[in-house]
Amino acid sequence: MTEFSEKCMSLATEVYSKCCSLDSVVQEDTLKCIIQSLSTPLGAKYSCSSDSTWKLAVQCLLKCVRSGLSVPKVKASTSSTDLWLALSKALSDFLFPKVPANESQSLAEFREDEKLDCLVVEMIRKDILPFSSELPKDFIASVLQILNRGSIHSQSPNAPVSGKVRHLFTQKCFETLLQFSFVNDENKAASVSQVAVQTLLTRCVTIISDYNKDIHLKQNVPSLSQVNEVVSAIQTMTTLISSLQKLSQDSVDHSIWERIISLYPHLVSCIHSKSDSVLVELEKALSSYTVLLNTPAYARK
């Protein structure tokens, strides 16, 4: 039965990729139906009856989404909320499965599975976010939340402790967030910019705050991966401030500057770190805040 199901998935994907631009296919919300069907093995993932089934479902999803979103009429169907809800749910359920991989899974097998997760992130980066102005804002916001969750996944309380942590996946999510934080073309993806920056700031606050808690609790020695993540978060703050400063004042929402300023005390708390790499990046980040220091209005008179 598994072989039959997988054959049907493959055939449906091939047929859809060849006729996805037909009016009848678009009008019948065929892409939504395919995504909803694929969401079952995708959501099951490690609890699926066969590994080959959910792995094939990933490849089918990638091909169908890329084919479907290449059709202007599909991207223009912003009124079809079911399509975007289905896609968002399918992405989230697959990337963050409720059932973890079997403990007997080898590290090599784990890394191969991680590559599939990264392919999904790559699809988001290449086929979804560049066209954010043509897609529903709620859908884009949900996608950015998925990336944010992925960028801090290895530091979550439920993260694996066996050494099987999705470092590459975390890095891919983070880099995608960072890339689309600086999109400032109103005719392309301006809607991504503000949301992505806010999402990125949320990630930085979470990582830096968690690190500070651990260094203040002497029994909790930060792991090397945690040190690397806080270094990355601090570097991000430096890059954000530098990049946002280059933009025109009208293009950056006031709330973003307020959030950046509110993160300053968290950075200062990092001075208690015993990691040289953290302290080096911390000095750069704190120095970057100089551009935000202004003489009070009453003192200028």
Side-chain angles (χ1 to χ4, degrees):
M1 193 65 181
T2 297
E3 185 177 351
F4 174 74
S5 300
E6 292 178 2
K7 187 65 175 178
C8 288
M9 270 199 291
S10 297
L11 286 174
T13 300
E14 287 301 319
V15 172
Y16 176 76
S17 64
K18 293 178 180 178
C19 62
C20 58
S21 61
L22 296 177
D23 288 343
S24 58
V25 175
V26 175
Q27 291 169 4
E28 291 298 321
D29 273 343
T30 306
L31 179 58
K32 179 200 70 175
C33 296
I34 291 176
I35 292 172
Q36 288 176 334
S37 297
L38 293 174
S39 64
T40 299
L42 290 173
K45 201 171 186 176
Y46 293 118
S47 62
C48 194
S49 58
S50 172
D51 281 351
S52 61
T53 300
W54 70 259
K55 290 179 180 180
L56 175 61
V58 178
Q59 299 295 346
C60 290
L61 178 74
L62 294 175
K63 187 167 186 176
C64 287
V65 170
R66 286 193 173 111
S67 299
L69 293 186
S70 67
V71 180
K73 291 181 181 178
V74 173
K75 285 189 289 193
S77 61
T78 55
S79 58
S80 180
T81 56
D82 288 347
L83 165 61
W84 309 111
L85 286 173
L87 180 53
S88 176
K89 186 177 186 305
L91 294 174
S92 180
D93 289 350
F94 172 72
L95 293 175
F96 309 105
K98 295 179 181 178
V99 178
N102 194 299
E103 291 183 3
S104 62
Q105 184 187 48
S106 68
L107 186 59
E109 291 172 329
F110 178 82
R111 292 302 174 207
E112 286 301 312
D113 290 353
E114 184 183 25
K115 289 179 182 178
L116 291 176
D117 297 338
C118 290
L119 285 178
V120 174
V121 176
E122 187 69 6
M123 182 268 290
I124 291 174
R125 186 181 73 84
K126 288 186 175 180
D127 301 291
I128 293 179
L129 292 181
F131 308 99
S132 62
S133 61
E134 304 172 47
L135 302 174
K137 291 183 179 179
D138 288 345
F139 169 66
I140 294 299
S142 68
V143 168
L144 290 173
Q145 287 302 321
I146 289 172
L147 293 174
N148 179 60
R149 184 180 176 185
S151 71
I152 60 176
H153 188 61
S154 64
Q155 290 299 322
S156 69
N158 297 321
V161 293
S162 60
K164 296 177 182 177
V165 180
R166 296 187 295 177
H167 291 302
L168 182 59
F169 169 71
T170 296
Q171 181 183 353
K172 285 283 186 183
C173 289
F174 171 69
E175 290 175 348
T176 302
L177 273 177
L178 186 60
Q179 175 185 348
F180 285 92
S181 291
F182 303 126
V183 176
N184 195 49
D185 187 339
E186 293 181 0
N187 296 321
K188 290 184 180 179
S191 61
V192 171
S193 181
Q194 303 291 345
V195 180
V197 171
Q198 294 283 13
T199 305
L200 202 56
L201 285 171
T202 298
R203 176 204 189 263
C204 291
V205 169
T206 301
I207 290 177
I208 295 172
S209 297
D210 288 348
Y211 180 76
N212 284 331
K213 290 176 184 176
D214 284 346
I215 62 177
H216 282 91
L217 295 173
K218 297 186 183 299
Q219 65 269 32
N220 286 355
V221 179
S223 63
L224 178 60
S225 63
Q226 189 177 12
V227 170
N228 290 337
E229 284 224 302
V230 80
V231 166
S232 177
I234 294 173
Q235 289 174 333
T236 297
M237 291 305 304
T238 305
T239 303
L240 268 175
I241 293 172
S242 174
S243 300
L244 292 174
Q245 185 189 10
K246 297 174 184 177
L247 303 177
S248 63
Q249 293 184 356
D250 294 338
S251 64
V252 183
D253 192 82
H254 185 67
S255 63
I256 290 178
W257 288 118
E258 289 181 340
R259 288 202 66 186
I260 290 175
I261 293 171
S262 69
L263 208 149
Y264 185 80
H266 296 282
L267 288 171
V268 172
S269 293
C270 289
I271 62 173
H272 300 292
S273 173
K274 298 185 184 302
S275 168
D276 290 340
S277 57
V278 170
L279 295 176
V280 168
E281 295 305 326
L282 181 62
E283 181 181 359
K284 297 176 184 177
L286 294 177
S287 297
S288 69
Y289 272 80
T290 303
V291 300
L292 303 178
L293 298 176
N294 292 313
T295 304
Y298 67 85
R300 298 174 195 164
K301 297 179 181 179

